Amino acid sequence: MNQFNQIIRDKPASAEDLQLNPRAKGQKIQQWLDRELRRLILQGQIRGGEKLPSTRKLAQLWSIARGTVITVYEQLVAEGYLESRQGSGFYVVTGLTEDIDYVLGENSTRESQPERPDRNEINYKESPFPVQGDFTPKAFSPFQPDCDLFPRVLWGRIMSSLCRQADASIFRFGEAAGYRPLREAISQYLARSRGVKCSAEQVIITSGTQQSLQMISQILLREGDNVIVEDPLYRGARTIFSQAEFTLNPVPVDKDGLTIEKLHKIKTPKLIFTTPTNQCPLGVVLSLERRFQLLDYAQKNQAYIFEDDYDGEFRYTGQPLPALQGLDKNNRVIYAGTFNKTMYASLRLGYLVLPPELFNAALHYRATMDRFPPGLEQAAMSTFLQEGHYNRHLRRMRKVYAGRLKALQEAVASYLPELQIGTRATGLETLAWLPQGSDDRKVCEKLAEQGIRVQALKNFCLQQKLPPALVMGFAAITEKQIRQGIKTIARCL
Ligand SMILES: Cc1ncc(COP(=O)(O)O)c(C=O)c1O
């Protein structure tokens, strides 16, 4: 019980009794009065059953319009703080919890605040992803699709037609593995377009690859377990593995992908994280010979491979390369795909294709984490796939992104020849090698001052020392922005 609740009043509050704090500079009168009265009620300075001063008296004492007092009283009645008794006035309702002052935060007059946990007891690690701020893509924000070009009208039609259906099943609780027709559509799409061999029974819908990886690390790994990762490494994966205190074993990537001969030194690996179709961030492809060697290594060590196929759809010369999973005969590959890059970033839908023996563990972990994925979006995604819109959208985006990559290569050749753009023809970003001796982190900082967003290759490296380079996105901005951006960089460097 707080000190104010112990004050016994036997007469109605008078306007003079009310301990209203002075109005802050610029604060509107109505807002001030409203906040002050709530505070007094919540702190117990005016108790349940007490009468408030009349609107006229309060208005006179504080020299404010009576109408303002009436508005505030009526609002507090509407919200359940006060009740209006016919012909008698306004009273604080009874039964407001005595302990309600904790909601007041910094205004709270509690004598002693509950102790906060010691900072070291809070499990806090910084995320590699921005958690707030302006997310509008800039030249050259990497890892982003162009959400302006997403066919919103078509998507809206699909969504609204689903909403109009008499059957409300997509709005009810759903299966933890996801909406069945979507799981079917994904398994068919993957077989046709990504060379993945699976049935819908192996598919679990997630919110994207980040969640998929989090799920897998939770069900497979224990503290101290050996995880093999590519060096350089996708930073989202690095955070997941280091947050959970697993033992990271970085293996260098060269022009043919993960260097398999280095794996043999690592004993009892549990999981191998790899981006074989478009190494993040180098953009190299794991060669066919190494794919077989990697599968063989995993089988011999009874380790699982997490194949992060985050943007394999975006290949600008020839057909997209088939996934590693399709070559696996021993159920060693856990395949993860995402719609957050192929559709739009905030969709937050992705999928896992699991070896059958892992399915149940992943399913139950998923249900514990956030129960099941959103029904409407899943149903819309399923229609989008089944009616062929997805393939059409991908074809269109491939053309647009290929044009932007070419624009970037041409702009660099014309205005910034000291930058060497890699030959990569996949994904949503590319590497630009800086002149020897440059410090890519410092260059990024300097460019950020001019509104240019690039990432330093060094930030992705664990042990490997690579020449300085910038990771530059080209997909989310127009060709005009690309040319302007390159001219800005040319002025800065
Ligand atoms: C290599 C890589 N894997 C996974 C992801 C995460 O994908 P999602 O947005 O589906 O969680 C990203 C996102 O940028 C990525 O670059």
Side-chain angles (χ1 to χ4, degrees):
M1 187 179 280
N2 73 46
Q3 56 179 322
F4 299 105
N5 289 338
Q6 289 162 4
I7 300 169
I8 307 293
R9 289 174 190 272
D10 49 11
K11 59 180 171 54
S14 74
E16 290 86 352
D17 273 353
L18 292 183
Q19 305 285 312
L20 302 182
N21 286 329
R23 189 154 59 94
K25 213 171 148 212
Q27 189 178 27
K28 295 211 169 77
I29 295 173
Q30 187 174 317
Q31 189 195 44
W32 159 75
L33 184 61
D34 180 273
R35 292 232 173 125
E36 283 303 298
L37 289 178
R38 279 168 205 266
R39 181 178 67 78
L40 295 178
I41 295 168
L42 291 173
Q43 288 176 345
Q45 297 194 43
I46 330 173
R47 299 179 63 200
E50 269 188 70
K51 186 179 176 187
L52 286 184
S54 73
T55 53
R56 178 167 295 123
K57 222 165 142 193
L58 193 62
Q60 263 171 7
L61 185 75
W62 287 90
S63 307
I64 53 182
R66 188 171 164 221
T68 305
V69 182
I70 293 173
T71 308
V72 170
Y73 276 18
E74 282 174 350
Q75 179 63 29
L76 293 174
V77 169
E79 291 183 31
Y81 288 82
L82 301 181
E83 59 185 342
S84 159
R85 294 190 197 153
Q86 193 78 40
S88 173
F90 291 90
Y91 292 79
V92 176
V93 298
T94 49
L96 283 179
T97 162
E98 289 183 337
D99 234 3
I100 203 161
D101 59 341
Y102 80 91
V103 300
L104 289 177
E106 62 188 32
N107 287 336
S108 172
T109 54
R110 262 182 117 83
E111 277 161 8
S112 59
Q113 292 287 340
E115 278 197 12
R116 288 170 193 280
D118 184 87
R119 203 183 137 67
N120 293 331
E121 286 170 22
I122 301 174
N123 192 1
Y124 169 81
K125 292 247 171 74
E126 201 160 313
S127 155
F129 307 111
V131 290
Q132 60 188 28
D134 177 10
F135 292 92
T136 320
K138 307 263 170 8
F140 294 86
S141 313
F143 307 110
Q144 291 199 34
D146 189 335
C147 300
D148 284 336
L149 296 182
F150 181 71
R152 271 188 259 171
V153 174
L154 169 63
W155 184 247
R157 266 208 302 273
I158 295 173
M159 293 277 243
S160 84
S161 126
L162 285 163
C163 285
R164 285 198 307 270
Q165 278 174 15
D167 176 7
S169 58
I170 59 170
F171 296 100
R172 298 199 182 102
F173 288 101
E175 290 189 40
Y179 183 62
R180 221 156 249 278
L182 176 59
R183 294 165 64 207
E184 291 284 353
I186 288 173
S187 68
Q188 285 159 18
Y189 162 75
L190 289 177
R192 213 175 40 242
S193 303
R194 306 293 307 117
V196 170
K197 288 184 296 203
C198 69
S199 75
E201 301 307 308
Q202 291 168 263
V203 176
I204 292 186
I205 310 296
T206 66
S207 72
T209 305
Q210 196 66 20
Q211 189 184 52
S212 299
L213 188 55
Q214 175 75 13
M215 282 168 60
I216 293 303
S217 68
Q218 286 303 309
I219 63 166
L220 273 188
L221 302 175
R222 301 286 168 269
E223 201 178 318
D225 275 353
N226 276 323
V227 180
I228 295 176
V229 293
E230 301 171 326
D231 187 4
L233 173 65
Y234 166 55
R235 294 171 69 201
R238 181 178 181 170
T239 320
I240 286 180
F241 296 135
S242 52
Q243 264 192 347
E245 317 288 344
F246 309 129
T247 306
L248 280 195
N249 296 270
V251 171
V253 174
D254 67 14
K255 66 176 188 12
D256 293 318
L258 199 66
T259 46
I260 306 292
E261 75 271 14
K262 304 254 168 49
L263 294 181
H264 297 289
K265 286 196 298 223
I266 303 161
K267 300 288 170 244
T268 60
K270 279 277 181 60
L271 186 69
I272 304 156
F273 173 84
T274 180
T275 47
T277 306
N278 181 20
Q279 204 279 332
C280 177
L282 293 180
V284 295
V285 174
L286 186 66
S287 69
L288 190 60
E289 188 188 4
R290 289 192 186 179
R291 285 178 188 235
F292 285 116
Q293 290 170 347
L294 181 60
L295 291 168
D296 187 49
Y297 172 83
Q299 170 64 3
K300 284 195 177 117
N301 289 282
Q302 291 296 290
Y304 286 101
I305 300 169
F306 186 98
E307 177 176 18
D308 177 0
D309 190 18
Y310 63 110
D311 64 2
E313 285 84 357
F314 296 125
R315 185 155 192 269
Y316 311 119
T317 50
Q319 290 300 306
L321 299 172
L324 175 68
Q325 195 269 7
L327 300 175
D328 176 24
K329 292 198 170 58
N330 299 302
N331 282 322
R332 302 316 313 170
V333 176
I334 300 161
Y335 175 88
T338 180
F339 292 122
N340 302 324
K341 283 182 190 288
T342 48
M343 296 281 287
Y344 57 95
S346 74
L347 179 60
R348 303 316 298 160
L349 282 182
Y351 42 90
L352 269 172
V353 176
L354 290 148
E357 68 272 19
L358 295 184
F359 187 84
N360 265 334
L363 183 67
H364 285 270
Y365 185 73
R366 199 238 187 277
T368 311
M369 197 163 38
D370 69 343
R371 303 193 66 167
F372 57 89
L376 179 59
E377 280 78 1
Q378 288 188 92
M381 190 65 234
S382 161
T383 307
F384 205 75
L385 276 160
Q386 282 160 357
E387 293 185 354
H389 304 304
Y390 189 62
N391 279 335
R392 270 192 294 281
H393 175 59
L394 285 179
R395 275 201 297 278
R396 174 170 174 241
M397 296 317 291
R398 252 182 236 127
K399 236 190 221 158
V400 172
Y401 295 159
R404 291 177 180 178
L405 176 58
K406 188 156 171 272
L408 175 66
Q409 288 161 338
E410 287 172 359
V412 167
S414 307
Y415 307 113
L416 199 56
E418 57 270 43
L419 219 59
Q420 297 295 311
I421 292 282
T423 50
R424 150 182 186 166
T426 43
L428 309 178
E429 53 282 320
T430 190
L431 274 190
W433 300 98
L434 289 162
Q436 276 299 340
S438 319
D439 180 333
D440 47 15
R441 283 196 183 125
K442 287 212 174 111
V443 170
C444 287
E445 278 166 25
K446 194 164 155 201
L447 293 178
E449 285 165 18
Q450 303 304 315
I452 299 284
R453 297 277 178 272
V454 284
Q455 292 184 14
L457 176 60
K458 202 177 275 165
N459 288 344
F460 294 77
C461 293
L462 298 167
Q463 291 171 351
Q464 194 170 199
K465 299 261 177 297
L466 288 169
L470 305 176
V471 181
M472 299 178 70
F474 54 82
I477 49 169
T478 63
E479 294 183 17
K480 188 169 164 208
Q481 285 174 296
I482 289 173
R483 282 188 287 276
Q484 281 168 347
I486 291 298
K487 286 184 197 167
T488 308
I489 298 179
R491 278 197 302 275
C492 289
L493 289 187

